[in-house]
Amino acid sequence: MILVMTTSHDRPVPRDPVTILRPRRGLTRFLETIGARWAGSTAVEELQDTIWRLREITERYRSAIEASGDVILRADANRRIVFANENFTATFGIAETGVLGRSLDRVITDLAVMPPPNLDPWLRSDHVSGALSDRELSTRDGPRWFMGREIEVAERLGDTAVIQVVLRDVTERHAMESELRRARDLAEAASAAKSRFLALASHEIRTPLNGILGMADLLLASGLTSEQATYARAVRTSGAALLSIVDDVLDLGKIEAGRLELQPDDASIEAVVEDVVELLAPRAQARGIELAGYVAADVPRRLIFDTVRLRQVLINLAGNGIKFTERGGVAINATLKARTKEHCVVTFDVTDTGIGIARQDAERIFTEYEQGENGTTRRYAGTGLGLAISRAIVRRMQGELEVQSEFGKGSTFAFSVLMPNPTYPEIVARSDPAELIGRHILIVSPAEIEPPLLVRRVHDFGGTALLVTNPSEARAALSARSYDAMLVDQTGVADAAETLVAIGLDQRPPAAVLVAPSDRGTLELMRHVGFSGYLVKPVRAQSIAKVIFALVEGRPIAADALDVRVPVAPRRLEGRKLKILVADDNPINVLLTRAMLESRGHRVTTAEDGRQAVDVFTAASSDMTFDVVLMDLHMPTLDGYVAIRAIRAANQSPRPLILALTADVTAETERATRAAGADGRLIKPIDADALDALLGEVPSAALRA
Ligand code: ADP
């Protein structure tokens, strides 16, 4: 039979039942012709059978739909209603006779709560996927939501297609969905509002803080009595603590908004680690615990990474370590995990011997505002932001920050990050391993954090080192073999002078004492006892080689190699007096910036807004031109960007250095200020060292002339 259809009609056999249900007129006529000609033949009987079977399927399908509770309407080719099921009457309170012969679209439009201009597209717009938006219709029980669907069905063989519309009541689903949508929209709006508020509030807080910190610095430099100095220092310390909280909150906002940008640059890991150790050492020493850092010798000297963000993570982790450790200390290690010529994977771990973290808290503490178990941690200050931010930064660096801890024994926070090699195809090794080749060093110390790291350093420089914990072990070691030099730790529990005396003159190699900065007062005594040098803890990698070398060769030890933590007095740039224009609308900031600059011998002119800045700048006579312009970005009448453009447009020669003054550390702002013509920016609150570094680059107009 199928063969007959195919050959006679030269068209593919329809395969899906719906198409079979809607035979074309041509085919019907053809079948009738065959029927007449082949009456009684088996082929036609088979055909009839097939048609009946298909009809039966359609009937079953139809009754299934009716039983489903859906409203069903049918219309003829002219879209006039020919049938409405019982559900229609039950739902809308309209008898079938009331709609027979009426326009399908009209009837539905009349039922709509908010009649759309044209309902037809609602029903027919998407036949293929059948996905239609819901409509609200007036029912006997009030307005309800319906999903509508229109299909064509065959009413009778040989007839044109009939339109069937199915309306399904989806009020419950609709209500649930719109509730969910509303909740989501609310949550999104609230979160966006919170982020905006945090960003705004933090910026607003930063500005007056800038004033507080700067003024405290000026006060401290102004010859106070010791009591006054104590108070001023307390103001400074509290201000600095507040600033770091504000920065955390700002960071969090940035992370939530997905705006945490990295600024990778060619830099030294060792410098970052030493920086962090140096910065936090006073805090550790004040708590009577150790802090030390170690960068393995095979970590290349320079790699590409974001120094500021790496430093921030290490400060967070080591700062926590110090906070949660009562005895022992904290070690920061950087080791090489893997390397190709182009890249290194460096692992950082920060280990402490503190209170540890209970297993059930180990994941939770990485969530913002979360702290460890409340009972214990309420004793420690904190906001619970540090780890959340650190983890986000590490993730941004494609790494993962994880913790391993034993409750009561200590914790290790570790992460590995991939860093490109800037000197590709070469690899520049970090340290010169030859310096201590063949040297044997004895280290005497009961401490557990720094001495083992010193041993590793000596090995890295090519020497060997033995670590012993007390004088009697030291004596035993010295009688077993000879040593080139000895380092003796002056700690709270062991007195270095006693140790040295106990060892005896005849046995002793040249010795240096390891002291905390607070032990400096004992150095004179140490020299009398027989120490020929000293190292201030935490010891810098380079200092140890220098001191050991000097010891071995009996050379005097250069003070700068050792005493790395002398507070730096503000540098006076003799003979480098610059003419500087400062534009800022905040009078306290102006006062502060002026004081900072004048204390360095520069000449300062100020402007209250961008307009004034441009006027003052252009009015300066040729022998009074400005070397430097410090421009606040947000000012009334003319903002900093416009003012910078205007000053650049004046094309003054020699070209002035223009620095934007901003609290905004984002790369966006950096790009925008550079686009406007600034040479760089100074982040508020202004850091004295950053200022000196930037101004150090400027040849003054007087010198250039
Ligand atoms: P904060 O220190 O400001 O509370 P963090 O996010 O840095 O916030 O730390 C969250 C919590 O994790 C801390 O409150 C503390 O309970 C726990 N924690 C972090 N570091 C350590 C550590 N080194 N030792 C023990 N507990 C820690």
Side-chain angles (χ1 to χ4, degrees):
M1 149 61 209
I2 286 173
L3 187 72
V4 172
M5 287 171 67
T6 313
T7 48
S8 314
H9 272 252
D10 198 23
R11 77 159 56 125
V13 181
R15 283 186 198 284
D16 67 301
V18 178
T19 323
I20 296 175
L21 274 170
R22 294 193 275 124
R24 306 198 163 240
R25 246 178 222 294
L27 179 57
T28 314
R29 260 205 308 278
F30 168 71
L31 288 174
E32 280 163 1
T33 326
I34 299 176
R37 219 184 285 158
W38 290 40
S41 87
T42 355
V44 172
E45 273 169 21
E46 273 174 22
L47 177 62
Q48 291 288 9
D49 270 1
T50 311
I51 292 170
W52 277 111
R53 267 206 310 280
L54 290 173
R55 261 211 183 154
E56 226 175 86
I57 293 169
T58 322
E59 269 316 312
R60 244 182 283 143
Y61 168 69
R62 189 183 299 152
S63 53
I65 289 184
E66 298 236 14
S68 72
D70 294 337
V71 170
I72 295 171
L73 292 169
R74 289 188 167 186
D76 60 17
N78 296 321
R79 303 185 72 77
R80 299 272 150 204
I81 294 176
V82 295
F83 168 80
N85 72 349
E86 281 174 14
N87 286 329
F88 174 79
T89 309
T91 307
F92 298 106
I94 303 171
E96 187 185 19
T97 47
V99 291
L100 285 182
R102 287 188 62 198
S103 145
L104 172 68
D105 302 307
R106 187 75 243 159
V107 166
I108 295 179
T109 309
D110 288 348
L111 288 173
V113 172
M114 298 267 290
N118 183 4
L119 257 179
D120 193 25
W122 171 51
L123 295 167
R124 291 200 294 179
S125 60
D126 196 352
H127 274 274
V128 185
S129 73
L132 297 168
S133 57
D134 302 340
R135 281 262 176 261
E136 200 176 16
L137 304 179
S138 305
T139 72
R140 271 160 82 157
D141 306 327
R144 293 187 71 80
W145 289 89
F146 288 86
M147 184 178 84
R149 177 180 305 232
E150 177 178 322
I151 51 168
E152 286 180 17
V153 290
E155 177 69 353
R156 252 189 334 268
L157 248 190
D159 211 3
T160 49
V162 163
I163 297 154
Q164 173 164 296
V165 166
V166 179
L167 299 175
R168 175 165 298 172
D169 188 327
V170 291
T171 309
E172 272 73 37
R173 166 172 71 69
H174 189 88
M176 226 156 70
E177 278 172 6
S178 42
E179 187 49 41
L180 277 177
R181 254 196 311 275
R182 216 173 59 84
R184 185 201 57 201
D185 292 349
L186 263 178
E188 277 174 5
S191 157
K194 187 191 82 182
S195 297
R196 265 198 314 278
F197 169 75
L198 282 183
L200 197 76
S202 316
H203 273 300
E204 292 302 313
I205 294 168
R206 252 173 161 270
T207 308
L209 255 187
N210 177 20
I212 294 172
L213 288 174
M215 291 300 162
D217 278 342
L218 292 179
L219 259 185
L220 280 166
S222 69
L224 302 178
T225 68
S226 74
E227 192 186 358
Q228 289 166 334
T230 310
Y231 299 153
R233 262 196 299 277
V235 170
R236 193 168 201 311
T237 314
S238 313
L242 189 52
L243 187 64
S244 95
I245 294 175
V246 170
D247 284 343
D248 275 359
V249 172
L250 260 179
D251 274 349
L252 196 71
K254 246 179 257 162
I255 290 164
E256 281 182 353
R259 286 208 346 256
L260 182 77
E261 281 187 62
L262 295 183
Q263 293 181 302
D265 204 357
D266 177 350
S268 149
I269 294 209
E270 183 167 46
V272 173
V273 170
E274 287 200 334
D275 227 34
V276 173
V277 168
E278 218 161 274
L279 183 85
L280 297 179
R283 217 189 283 176
Q285 280 152 356
R287 283 177 62 79
I289 60 171
E290 291 180 87
L291 172 66
Y294 170 74
V295 179
D298 52 0
V299 174
R301 192 181 289 276
R302 306 202 67 83
L303 286 168
I304 292 179
F305 60 95
D306 184 328
T307 33
V308 174
R309 292 299 182 184
L310 179 65
R311 205 175 106 102
Q312 183 181 1
V313 172
L314 293 178
I315 288 177
N316 265 333
L317 298 179
N320 276 347
I322 294 169
K323 187 158 76 173
F324 295 107
T325 301
E326 312 275 335
R327 28 173 310 284
V330 181
I332 306 175
N333 287 296
T335 47
L336 188 67
K337 192 174 173 198
R339 163 153 93 190
T340 64
K341 276 194 164 174
E342 291 104 319
H343 293 102
C344 284
V345 179
V346 182
T347 301
F348 296 86
D349 56 75
V350 178
T351 301
D352 66 61
T353 55
I355 60 170
I357 295 157
R359 185 182 291 270
Q360 71 269 17
D361 290 335
E363 217 11 70
R364 194 169 56 82
I365 52 171
F366 288 102
T367 315
E368 58 259 38
Y369 304 112
E370 281 288 357
Q371 301 189 312
E373 193 234 320
N374 288 336
T376 44
T377 50
R378 276 292 127 218
R379 290 190 288 134
Y380 305 93
T383 53
L385 291 180
L387 287 180
I389 292 171
S390 299
R391 177 172 265 190
I393 294 174
V394 170
R395 284 193 175 153
R396 194 73 188 67
M397 295 174 171
Q398 317 289 340
E400 182 63 306
L401 176 61
E402 273 157 350
V403 62
Q404 290 212 315
S405 180
E406 201 175 331
F407 194 54
K409 293 239 167 92
S411 322
T412 297
F413 285 84
F415 60 97
S416 299
V417 284
L418 185 84
M419 298 178 171
N421 170 15
T423 55
Y424 173 80
E426 275 167 277
I427 298 168
V428 181
R430 193 176 55 83
S431 53
D432 176 5
E435 286 181 52
L436 293 180
I437 277 181
R439 303 293 183 188
H440 301 288
I441 317 296
L442 181 65
I443 301 174
V444 190
S445 171
E448 47 184 321
I449 303 293
E450 190 166 20
L453 298 183
L454 294 180
V455 170
R456 288 167 81 173
R457 293 240 184 97
V458 172
H459 287 173
D460 289 344
F461 284 116
T464 60
L466 178 70
L467 174 62
V468 297
T469 56
N470 58 48
S472 61
E473 279 179 23
R475 272 204 308 276
L478 286 167
S479 55
R481 64 153 306 143
S482 73
Y483 284 86
D484 298 295
M486 188 165 80
L487 300 177
V488 184
D489 193 3
Q490 163 79 11
T491 68
V493 283
D495 186 276
E498 278 171 29
T499 307
L500 202 66
V501 171
I503 287 168
L505 256 180
D506 50 330
Q507 255 193 322
R508 256 185 226 169
V513 62
L514 293 167
V515 292
S518 56
D519 293 330
R520 280 226 199 81
T522 64
L523 286 179
E524 197 47 38
L525 168 76
M526 297 297 176
R527 211 156 56 87
H528 283 300
V529 181
F531 283 108
S532 12
Y534 66 96
L535 277 165
V536 180
K537 298 187 285 187
V539 179
R540 281 183 174 228
Q542 293 305 319
S543 316
I544 187 166
K546 280 190 190 138
V547 166
I548 291 173
F549 241 71
L551 282 180
V552 171
E553 302 191 341
R555 276 191 280 121
I557 302 168
D560 68 319
L562 310 176
D563 205 359
V564 291
R565 269 162 296 279
V566 189
V568 190
R571 246 179 300 162
R572 279 197 173 267
L573 304 168
E574 295 305 331
R576 311 248 314 103
K577 301 200 190 317
L578 302 170
K579 285 178 207 115
I580 302 180
L581 173 60
V582 177
D584 196 326
D585 61 325
N586 179 321
I588 300 200
N589 282 350
V590 172
L591 188 64
L592 196 64
T593 315
R594 176 194 277 277
M596 261 178 132
L597 294 169
E598 286 179 346
S599 74
R600 285 163 169 72
H602 303 304
R603 253 196 289 164
V604 178
T605 307
T606 61
E608 283 171 16
D609 58 47
R611 175 84 272 147
Q612 224 186 62
V614 176
D615 291 347
V616 170
F617 185 87
T618 45
S621 61
S622 57
D623 53 330
M624 252 306 294
T625 56
F626 290 98
D627 302 300
V628 179
V629 179
L630 301 184
M631 183 74 75
D632 183 27
L633 290 180
H634 303 292
M635 287 184 294
T637 67
L638 208 63
D639 75 16
Y641 295 102
V642 183
I644 291 174
R645 282 211 174 82
I647 288 177
R648 279 287 179 240
N651 240 335
Q652 178 203 282
S653 166
R655 185 180 185 277
L657 178 86
I658 303 183
L659 300 174
L661 284 174
T662 171
D664 184 350
V665 293
T666 60
E668 267 161 73
T669 310
E670 165 90 41
R671 276 192 290 274
T673 49
R674 286 198 184 272
D679 298 298
R681 59 178 172 172
L682 266 173
I683 303 297
K684 292 198 262 188
I686 298 175
D687 174 66
D689 288 340
L691 180 72
D692 288 343
L694 284 166
L695 295 188
E697 309 285 309
V698 194
S700 89
L703 293 177
R704 281 171 304 184

